[in-house]
Amino acid sequence: MGFFDRFTTDIGIDLGTCNTLIYVRGKGIVIDEPSVVAVEKGTKKVVAVGAEAKRMLFKTPGNIIAIRPLADGVIADIDSTEKMIKYFIAKVVPRHQIFKSTRMKIGIPSCITQVERRAVIEAALKAGAKEVAVIEESLAAAIGAKIPINEPAGHMVCDIGGGTTEVSVISLGGMVVTSSIRVGGDKFDEAIIKHIHDNYGLNIGAQTAEKIKISIGNASGDDNENEKMQIRGIDSMRGLPRSLEIDSLEVREALKVPVRQVVEEVKRTLGRTPPELAADIVERGIVMTGGGSMLKGLSNLISKETGVPVLLVEKPLQCVALGAGMAFELFKDMSNDRSVYENLNE
């Protein structure tokens, strides 16, 4: 570690639609909380952030609003995003360390616009960062998954987050082919909500849909196990609470459309990959990261559809934040860093 590095706090952030994870150099992952902010109406004073705010989602009294400031992998509410980042950073960087320079590297989807990219940078700068860089999520995920990205060989990463799915082929430290669609864990939840409403006239919330997805959600029937689950919601005709039992076969049917979109994006990216790199991928496999990749049977389905081995990393949720933070060391010479830094003086 150089002399000036001792006075610098390097932070890697996965600013996700569903969860925000923060990596601090020398400490590892220090924050892993839902991307939710609860504020008072009118004053916009922050009441709660993260896990505490998520418990308030859709359950708040009239004077409090609980919101998710990110949607489809990008900032929908810059003011709330800034407050959320500031809250999390305050938990990991004490105020008495203000003499240190705080550098942030934030994972972003490759499909976002320049305006959306700038919004991410501005939110981090206003939250107190001295320097901010962005890095594509799949590149960060590859670093976090400890893939040797600087080798002259092809590596494919499929990162499925809450708002986006990004598929990239990486070689010699850069992305040769990349594609991104705004389909992820949230679209899985929405598909379950729609299926239950359309088929049973039962209205359920996003948190119930998420529980269904995690408990009995699946992308393929390879295990031949039909799990069942009791759920509760509001009858759309009578407006009264009602219980319902659903099984994993129904959930798989509900998830068909978004799952198919993910599979097709992987196939399209493989089709655009140079033959030499495609041969490497067939040998090494497709690496899956992100919370959405944990859907049961999804890795098997992608492998079956593509004919390529698929590997799910040990801690898929942490890869982007880990990789964003580790990139400071990997790209030690900042002039060679593919990220673009911006600071308060610009």
Side-chain angles (χ1 to χ4, degrees), residues 125-318:
L125 289 172
K126 288 178 180 177
K130 296 296 185 292
E131 294 180 328
V132 179
V134 292
I135 181 172
E136 287 84 356
E137 284 180 341
S138 50
L139 183 59
I143 297 168
K146 297 182 179 177
I147 293 172
I149 64 168
N150 287 324
E151 289 183 351
H155 302 274
M156 175 172 271
V157 176
C158 176
D159 181 66
I160 307 173
T164 60
T165 292
E166 187 159 298
V167 188
S168 299
V169 176
I170 299 166
S171 178
L172 290 170
M175 295 193 297
V176 180
V177 179
T178 188
S179 62
S180 183
I181 54 172
R182 301 199 181 197
V183 175
D186 279 358
K187 286 291 189 284
F188 294 166
D189 295 345
E190 290 171 15
I192 292 170
I193 291 170
K194 185 176 186 302
H195 176 85
I196 291 173
H197 175 268
D198 292 350
N199 289 274
Y200 298 102
L202 190 72
N203 295 329
I204 62 169
Q207 292 189 45
T208 299
E210 185 180 30
K211 287 177 184 175
I212 294 169
K213 176 182 68 181
I214 293 170
S215 300
I216 63 173
N218 63 103
S220 65
D222 296 337
D223 54 12
N224 294 317
E225 186 178 347
N226 189 20
E227 301 171 288
K228 296 185 179 181
M229 181 178 177
Q230 195 80 14
I231 61 170
R232 294 178 180 84
I234 299 295
D235 189 294
S236 59
M237 295 293 290
R238 298 186 299 154
L240 297 173
R242 178 160 65 88
S243 296
L244 173 71
E245 185 180 78
I246 59 168
D247 59 39
S248 54
L249 291 176
E250 286 186 88
V251 180
R252 182 163 71 248
E253 185 64 30
L255 292 170
K256 263 189 174 179
V257 172
V259 164
R260 175 52 50 187
Q261 289 174 310
V262 170
V263 172
E264 289 302 318
E265 196 62 25
V266 173
K267 290 166 75 173
R268 270 194 295 272
T269 307
L270 278 170
R272 294 167 51 210
T273 303
E276 292 81 3
L277 297 181
D280 293 334
I281 294 165
V282 170
E283 181 183 341
R284 297 162 186 259
I286 299 167
V287 176
M288 291 188 66
T289 64
S293 66
M294 298 168 70
L295 179 68
K296 293 174 192 172
L298 182 55
S299 57
N300 290 340
L301 179 64
I302 292 175
S303 181
K304 189 184 295 182
E305 290 273 343
T306 61
V308 178
V310 175
L311 312 169
L312 179 61
V313 300
E314 187 179 348
K315 295 180 179 179
L317 283 165
Q318 297 185 2

Side-chain angles (χ1 to χ4, degrees), residues 78-97:
I78 191 165
D79 185 54
S80 295
T81 302
E82 177 196 330
K83 289 174 180 175
M84 183 176 72
I85 296 173
K86 188 177 290 185
Y87 173 85
F88 287 143
I89 296 304
K91 290 179 73 172
V92 298
V93 183
R95 286 188 177 274
H96 69 267
Q97 292 184 344

Side-chain angles (χ1 to χ4, degrees), residues 50-116:
E52 187 181 350
K54 186 177 181 179
R55 287 193 289 271
M56 299 179 178
L57 208 58
F58 309 116
K59 299 177 183 177
T60 56
N63 64 320
I64 296 174
I65 311 171
I67 56 173
R68 291 173 61 180
L70 294 110
D72 296 333
V74 297
I75 292 175
D77 184 330
I78 191 165
D79 185 54
S80 295
T81 302
E82 177 196 330
K83 289 174 180 175
M84 183 176 72
I85 296 173
K86 188 177 290 185
Y87 173 85
F88 287 143
I89 296 304
K91 290 179 73 172
V92 298
V93 183
R95 286 188 177 274
H96 69 267
Q97 292 184 344
I98 55 172
F99 61 88
K100 286 191 173 184
S101 173
T102 302
R103 297 190 302 178
M104 293 184 194
K105 200 181 290 280
I106 303 175
I108 59 166
S110 62
C111 64
I112 71 172
T113 65
Q114 284 299 318
V115 172
E116 291 165 337

